[in-house]
Structures are given as structure tokens and as C-alpha cells.
Amino acid sequence: MSSVFTKIIRGEIPCYKIYEDERTFAFLDISPEAVGHTLVVPKNEVAKVYELQDEDYRAVMETVRKLMQHYETVLGKRMTMKVVGVDVPHAHVHILPFDEYFEKGLRGGITEETKPKISQDEMRELQEKLRLN
């Protein structure tokens, strides 16, 4: 059975796509921990980042680097990344702006109450602002 991320890549589930190339796909997280929270996934469905083939691992990390540099310029905020790998069985990397809101959430724990509330219109505006290709 395909993961939710594979369904997003195939266009079966809508998303706010930010970037796509031959090996990777990036989109805004619909339950963001910070404004601009983006997921970078390999198109090849593998459960864990450390199980990726070398080429796919390098491609994911290159996309992460490219997007973080772009976001830092566009948003004017330092960027951070994390790999958790337990919520969806499809390798992925989270990239997030490291701002006061996110830092506060990290210290107190990220909860539904501390996550930003972003409307669909705001998500579309953010998508346009952050889109790389």
C-alpha cells in the first residue's frame, strides 16, 4: 500500500507543492510547527532515511540545502531541519524557520495549541512566496 506521501507525489492527494525534481518532492506541512514548515521526500518510497540508496539520500539532502538557503533569503530567518521518521513510513526531512515562535515551542514542547493556525488562503500565499521552480 502506498504511503500518504507517495499519494501526494502522484497527485492523488492535493498539496502545497514547493519544489520537484527527478528524485525529490517538497511540500508545505498541513499541520505546521512553524510558518513555512516544509517536508522534503524522495520520490522512491523507502520507510527510513537511512535506508535510502546513496543517490536518493544525496538528492534529498541537496534539495533540503537548496530550499533552506532559499527560505533563509525569502523569509529572513535562520532555518533548521529535523529527521524524525516515525509518523509516516516514507523517508522525509522537515525544514523549519527557526524563529521565536518555534524556539518557544521546542522549549515547551510542540502541541496543537502551540502550532500556528494558517488558513488555506495563507497556505497558498506562502506556497507562492516559497516556491522554487
Side-chain angles (χ1 to χ4, degrees):
M1 185 164 145
S2 298
S3 77
V4 66
F5 293 164
T6 295
K7 291 176 182 178
I8 288 170
I9 292 165
R10 290 181 186 153
E12 297 169 12
I13 296 174
C15 73
Y16 299 99
K17 183 170 78 168
I18 298 298
Y19 178 80
E20 179 177 13
D21 63 26
E22 183 180 300
R23 293 186 178 269
T24 65
F25 195 93
F27 54 96
L28 293 175
D29 192 309
I30 59 169
S31 183
E33 295 175 14
V35 175
H37 184 170
T38 300
L39 300 173
V40 178
V41 302
K43 288 185 174 178
N44 182 23
E45 185 177 324
V46 173
K48 302 167 192 145
V49 169
Y50 54 85
E51 292 177 339
L52 288 168
Q53 294 294 316
D54 290 346
E55 302 82 23
D56 288 330
Y57 180 85
R58 282 190 294 272
V60 166
M61 296 314 289
E62 179 58 33
T63 296
V64 166
R65 179 174 61 167
K66 188 182 305 186
L67 288 175
M68 289 177 74
Q69 290 171 341
H70 173 66
Y71 281 24
E72 192 167 285
T73 299
V74 172
L75 298 174
K77 296 179 181 178
R78 183 176 179 161
M79 299 302 297
T80 187
M81 70 174 180
K82 65 180 183 173
V83 179
V84 181
V86 295
D87 48 343
V88 176
H90 188 134
H92 58 286
V93 176
H94 300 255
I95 60 174
L96 304 107
F98 194 81
D99 56 19
E100 292 173 15
Y101 177 85
F102 183 66
E103 184 179 9
K104 181 180 176 186
L106 284 178
R107 281 188 267 125
I110 305 289
T111 66
E112 288 304 315
E113 291 78 32
T114 62
K115 288 181 178 183
K117 308 300 183 247
I118 306 173
S119 71
Q120 288 184 6
D121 287 340
E122 291 168 323
M123 289 289 276
R124 281 189 287 277
E125 288 174 19
L126 190 57
Q127 176 189 26
E128 288 303 314
K129 183 177 183 178
L130 297 176
R131 189 182 317 231
L132 193 55
N133 62 344

